[in-house]
Amino acid sequence: QKEVEQDPGPLSVPEGAIVSLNCTYSNSAFQYFMWYRQYSRKGPELLMYTYSSGNKEDGRFTAQVDKSSKYISLFIRDSQPSDSATYLCAMKRLNTGNQFYFGTGTSLTVIP
Amino acid sequence: EAGVTQFPSHSVIEKGQTVTLRCDPISGHDNLYWYRRVMGKEIKFLLHFVKESKQDESGMPNNRFLAERTGGTYSTLKVQPAELEDSGVYFCASSRTGYEQFFGPGTRLTVL
């Protein structure tokens, strides 16, 4: 079983829609959760990170962590064509190593 | 501030040849990571340097892979001899704290 599961999509939405991207994980030791955005032929770009459970908002983006369900989400409000990219979740155990565990990524297209 | 840079951006070699990938981290970042993404799979951790010391190399696939970070600045990842299954995108990331990891654009390696 993979440590992190992420629906690869593809996901296609009209401009202005609310997008919900999700990951599940199996290891309860994960405490630190990140979302990366990756444009084609580029490296992953850190969007947001959260520690433990709860919500974090940054502009049009909201990251949500539910540790009881081992489920994390990224919401994008008022989606724009420039949001079209692959979104990767990543997570890390606290205090035991620095490696990140990634999902496979969800491909998102926002149609003008 | 310059980001993480990687060279070359793309390398095509034949099975049995040697390839050396280079990563220049963000200035002042002691932590340097190598990751690899094989087509269709998630990004996977290879190893982690703190300055010039290997902190964790648990993700290195086998002894055909050799990573170095002389002087705690740039790092190289050598594959010798390359096999078909080594094809993929090799990412380097750097971090000041170990939590926010900033990724380079990657080197796309094709082994024929």
Side-chain angles (χ1 to χ4, degrees), chain A residues 43-59:
Chain A
E45 170 196 6
L46 180 64
L47 272 179
M48 298 184 71
Y49 63 93
T50 54
Y51 169 67
S52 198
S53 285
N55 291 1
K56 184 174 182 179
E57 189 173 317
D58 184 1

Side-chain angles (χ1 to χ4, degrees), chain B residues 17-78:
Chain B
Q17 289 186 321
T18 297
V19 63
T20 300
L21 314 180
R22 173 171 169 143
C23 168
D24 286 79
I26 293 171
S27 178
H29 284 193
D30 288 339
N31 295 281
L32 186 148
Y33 309 81
W34 284 99
Y35 291 85
R36 176 174 74 173
R37 182 167 195 166
V38 172
M39 190 186 302
K41 303 283 189 180
E42 69 273 21
I43 296 173
K44 279 199 167 178
F45 168 85
L46 295 178
L47 89 158
H48 168 213
F49 284 100
V50 177
K51 296 185 179 179
E52 65 274 9
S53 299
K54 290 176 187 173
Q55 190 75 10
D56 180 356
E57 51 185 331
S58 62
M60 295 288 263
N62 50 60
N63 59 11
R64 296 186 293 103
F65 289 75
L66 175 64
E68 295 180 324
R69 190 181 183 195
T70 308
T73 55
Y74 71 91
S75 174
T76 58
L77 180 65
K78 181 190 287 189

Side-chain angles (χ1 to χ4, degrees), chain A residues 5-7 20-24 35 71-75 89 106:
Chain A
E5 297 278 358
Q6 184 174 10
D7 185 340
S20 172
L21 304 164
N22 312 292
C23 288
T24 59
W35 284 96
Y71 188 89
I72 68 171
S73 300
L74 178 71
F75 297 96
C89 64
T106 299

Side-chain angles (χ1 to χ4, degrees), chain A residues 2 32 34 36 38 41-46 49 86 88 92-95 97-105, chain B residues 10 31 33 35 37 40-45 48 55-56 58 91 97-106 108:
Chain A
K2 284 184 184 176
Y32 193 69
M34 284 74 60
Y36 282 83
Q38 186 177 18
R41 304 283 172 157
K42 301 287 187 182
E45 170 196 6
L46 180 64
Y49 63 93
T86 296
L88 301 152
K92 175 186 172 318
R93 294 189 289 254
L94 206 59
N95 299 329
N98 271 281
Q99 61 172 288
F100 284 12
Y101 294 83
F102 281 86
T104 50
Chain B
H10 195 178
N31 295 281
Y33 309 81
Y35 291 85
R37 182 167 195 166
K41 303 283 189 180
E42 69 273 21
I43 296 173
K44 279 199 167 178
F45 168 85
H48 168 213
Q55 190 75 10
D56 180 356
S58 62
F91 291 105
T97 63
Y99 289 90
E100 294 180 57
Q101 294 188 13
F102 298 89
F103 281 74
R108 187 172 298 271

